[in-house]
Amino acid sequence: MAEQNRKTAEQRELRAKAEAVVDNFIDYLLAIRRVDDIAHEGRHILGIYQSHGEIPRGSGFSGFCTLAAKVDRIRFQEVTSRMVEADSIVGQLAEDHQEAVCLDKLLRGKTRIVAIDPLNEKRLEITYTTAYCAELLGLSQDTYRKRVSRAYQQIENVLQPVSQVA
């Protein structure tokens, strides 16, 4: 958003690192959510084991047997150290700044609707705009922009000492 205000290559590089931190934070949130979902499924399996004295067996028919898929999801679930680090960095931000920066990274500029005009067969893509993202959070566009900008500035301030040491 404030990319046009960045002047030096070092500042652009620092913003790219801040955006990568936000990406890792979003991945962390999604991974934790999946772990919670898997834990609930695991409790269900353990509940069946407790009630019947044996682990439920699969039917052998892949359309109905989800036990193997649950075990694979548990086995392959991974939260990396970068995700945990991103959580500690972005976790320092105020909650409203976290929401704004995550929504900005997830939606703004991405395709929302793809339509084809039936008369001339032209493709039309509608993207998520700043106005739409601000409306989702119940903010004015100016307030939304300021929150995103301040969030990135705070992340950059945390990353600044790290980049100067390297």
Side-chain angles (χ1 to χ4, degrees), residues 13-81:
E13 184 179 327
L14 193 57
R15 176 54 63 101
K17 287 180 182 178
E19 289 176 353
V21 167
V22 173
D23 280 336
N24 285 325
F25 177 70
I26 292 168
D27 290 343
Y28 176 80
L29 292 178
L30 294 173
I32 293 301
R33 181 64 193 161
R34 283 189 297 256
V35 167
D36 288 345
D37 291 346
I38 291 168
H40 290 305
E41 292 172 8
R43 287 187 199 118
H44 175 70
I45 292 170
L46 292 175
I48 292 173
Y49 176 73
Q50 185 179 17
S51 299
H52 301 290
E54 62 181 34
I55 293 177
R57 284 185 250 139
S59 66
F61 182 66
S62 62
F64 294 106
C65 181
T66 59
L67 180 61
K70 290 177 185 178
V71 171
D72 280 345
R73 285 175 52 206
I74 292 170
R75 188 175 56 183
F76 293 120
Q77 186 59 47
E78 182 178 358
V79 175
T80 65
S81 61

Side-chain angles (χ1 to χ4, degrees), residues 18-19 22 25-26 90 93-107 137 144 147-152 155:
E19 289 176 353
V22 173
F25 177 70
I26 292 168
V90 179
L93 302 176
E95 190 173 325
D96 55 350
H97 286 76
Q98 287 180 15
E99 288 176 348
V101 78
C102 288
L103 187 69
D104 187 72
K105 191 67 177 165
L106 281 172
L107 294 182
L137 293 176
Y144 172 74
R147 284 188 185 174
V148 171
S149 180
R150 287 183 186 140
Y152 277 123
I155 293 169

